[in-house]
Amino acid sequence: QSYKETGVKDQNQGVFTTGLRYANGPMAVALTYDQVRLQDAANLSNYKNANTWSVSGSYDFDVVAVSLAFGQDFDGRGSNVYGSSTNPRFYEKDYDYNNYSIALAVPVGEGKLSAQYGYKQTRKEAKRDADQANQQQYSIAYSYPLSKRTNVYAYGGYAKNYLNLDDVKRTHGAIGIRHQF
């Protein structure tokens, strides 16, 4: 979404993202912050900043790895602050959310089976009254190593109240191969 028209205020979408990660043995923690310049839903010629941050931690107990995360979105409409041509996001004051996640991963054969639950809670009473519902998301995945840097994977997921819209459901899945350089 980067374009410029003569005589029109700068419409470039700017993104700032940063993160810190610490890992030592079976433990890891991370902190992230993102800011994106979005169109104001009330006045599309104005642009505002939407922000999101998160903190997460994981510990691998060998028989099971556990991950927990918490974060917040501020003034961004939709499931996160990023958008696309088919699913635009706009700046809207007070569209704020708390995000919670828990994930478990267990070794199965040579691979790893993992499951995740996420919960996106609306934070402003006015938006809860405007048909905003709390989103729940479930996913399951299996990854199998072909070599030290290559693996095949399959995953599926289901979301209830997708994009925090009451009774909107979404399913997705994929099968793929990944090589890390």
Side-chain angles (χ1 to χ4, degrees):
Q1 282 194 9
S2 271
Y3 59 92
K4 178 83 172 154
E5 293 181 39
T6 304
V8 177
K9 186 177 178 178
D10 182 12
Q11 298 175 347
N12 290 327
Q13 182 180 29
V15 176
F16 172 79
T17 185
T18 188
L20 297 172
R21 180 174 184 263
Y22 172 78
N24 187 2
M27 180 191 72
V29 293
L31 177 66
T32 64
Y33 174 79
D34 300 292
Q35 182 181 81
V36 64
R37 185 172 179 244
L38 297 173
Q39 280 184 307
D40 187 339
N43 181 354
L44 296 182
S45 65
N46 288 336
Y47 287 78
K48 304 285 184 175
N49 290 332
N51 304 282
T52 184
W53 70 270
S54 68
V55 62
S56 60
S58 65
Y59 196 89
D60 189 344
F61 294 96
D62 289 330
V63 294
V64 63
V66 179
S67 301
L68 298 171
F70 173 75
Q72 293 181 315
D73 298 340
F74 299 96
D75 299 329
R77 181 102 156 100
S79 66
N80 60 37
V81 295
Y82 300 103
S84 69
S85 60
T86 59
N87 194 9
R89 306 290 199 272
F90 296 102
Y91 167 88
E92 261 188 274
K93 187 169 177 56
D94 295 336
Y95 272 85
D96 297 346
Y97 305 94
N98 287 335
N99 303 296
Y100 307 89
S101 177
I102 184 169
L104 302 173
V106 295
V108 175
E110 295 295 315
K112 190 173 281 190
L113 179 67
S114 57
Q116 183 265 344
Y117 171 76
Y119 185 74
K120 183 170 189 164
Q121 174 188 43
T122 58
R123 292 184 49 229
K124 301 288 182 168
E125 194 65 44
K127 299 307 174 193
R128 277 186 235 134
D129 293 341
D131 294 329
Q132 288 286 297
N134 294 327
Q135 175 180 295
Q136 296 182 60
Q137 184 171 321
Y138 311 86
S139 64
I140 190 164
Y142 184 73
S143 176
Y144 184 84
L146 298 176
S147 69
K148 184 176 179 178
R149 298 187 311 172
T150 304
N151 69 310
V152 292
Y153 63 89
Y155 77 87
Y158 169 78
K160 179 181 174 188
N161 300 329
Y162 179 65
L163 296 177
N164 296 92
L165 300 172
D166 195 25
D167 257 354
V168 175
K169 296 172 179 66
R170 181 177 188 193
T171 58
H172 60 276
I175 298 173
I177 187 167
R178 178 178 59 190
H179 180 75
Q180 298 170 327
F181 293 95

